[in-house]
Amino acid sequence: MIIEPRMRGFICLTAHPKGCEKNILNQIEFTKSQGPIDGAKKVLVIGASTGFGLASRITSAFGSNAATIGVFFEKAPAPGKTASPGWYNSAAFQEEAEKAGLYAKSINGDAFSTEVKNKTIELIKADLGKVDLVIYSLASPVRTNPVTGVLHRSVLKPIGNAFTNKTVDFHTGNVTDITIAPCTDEDIENTVAVMGGEDWEMWIDALTEADALADNALTIAYSYIGPSLTEAVYRKGTIGRAKDHLEATAFKISNKLDSIGGKAYVSVNKALVTQASSAIPVIPLYISLLYKKMKEKGVHEGCIEQIVRLFKERLYTGEAVPTDEKGRIRIDDLEMAEDIQAKVSELWEQATTETLPAIGDLNGYKSDFLNLFGFGFDGVDYQADVNEVVEIKGLV
């Protein structure tokens, strides 16, 4: 079939297998170009099919020649219906890993469930014995607690007062004001249950109990802080409470791993175009202004550039991992540079529907959004018939 992007609000309903493959090839090429990384050799990535999780799997495999197991929850294709982009990403990664002679297997299922945890541990024990790096990079709006059976839904709301500020519809370029009503206490509890550190800790507990973690194992989860412009709706809102919980959980996990010399870290990463961030009011406008300035200064990074830098310059240098006063790894340093943030704040005041094309990088935002689904890559013939039914060879 000929596959074109089909939009519904902040979601693209289609994905292009050849475009997703090109995305993987580009990330692998970049990773190789940065030279070898003396990193982990047996790696579990929870949330391995898109974004930072996918970049972590690629960096481990093609930077450190690591054996990788990926866990994700993606929609398989059917005749006439495309898969989710993470499915095609994982299929392409598997192909390239096999060509390179690298061990790679994947599990498609609900990573929050006890069933998937047990299945993953069985695979680790059978094939790898133990893992020395666990990446936790889940992004989901809902979670069923495997112990209580309760379904929790996260919300994006401010705490205390309604929040009003500018936002942009990145499809049309219209800049408007938006008001978001404040959350309830129940909203906070649910968001923390979905996006906090409870499931990360459950994974590490299960791996520890099964003796599936190597001595000196590391585990990394990803977070975001952002600027004062977005903090009312993000870092000081419901999501911020979840991120606070995630970051506090890193210390709990580190204490538990102390007996094997292990350590848990939260890496605070840069703002990026993702399916999730595209639905957050204010964020698309902020990112379009941010990208403009970072590209002008030559310091813009995507997922793969950030994760390669995280591995090469923070995690695996042979020295102590540098952290901030709260024990977090800061790979958002380029975004949060004072000159960048001062300029973005200045442009924010000027941003209107009329001025944004000149002062922001909305086209870059749109391009990155389409790239998430395999569209807009050079070297891909989007008018050609492609087979939408693609298998993931290493699926267990």
Side-chain angles (χ1 to χ4, degrees), residues 193-225:
V194 176
M195 303 180 71
E198 184 179 44
D199 184 65
W200 183 23
E201 188 176 4
M202 283 180 170
W203 268 100
I204 300 304
D205 285 349
L207 289 160
T208 301
E209 188 177 329
D211 194 26
L213 293 176
D215 287 348
N216 306 311
L218 294 181
T219 181
I220 315 294
Y222 295 128
S223 188
Y224 181 65
I225 295 176

Side-chain angles (χ1 to χ4, degrees), residues 327-344:
R328 304 171 298 201
I329 301 170
R330 300 300 294 267
I331 209 75
D332 64 340
D333 49 343
L334 301 179
E335 172 187 357
M336 299 308 295
E338 285 186 18
D339 59 332
I340 294 282
Q341 286 301 318
K343 191 61 181 177
V344 171

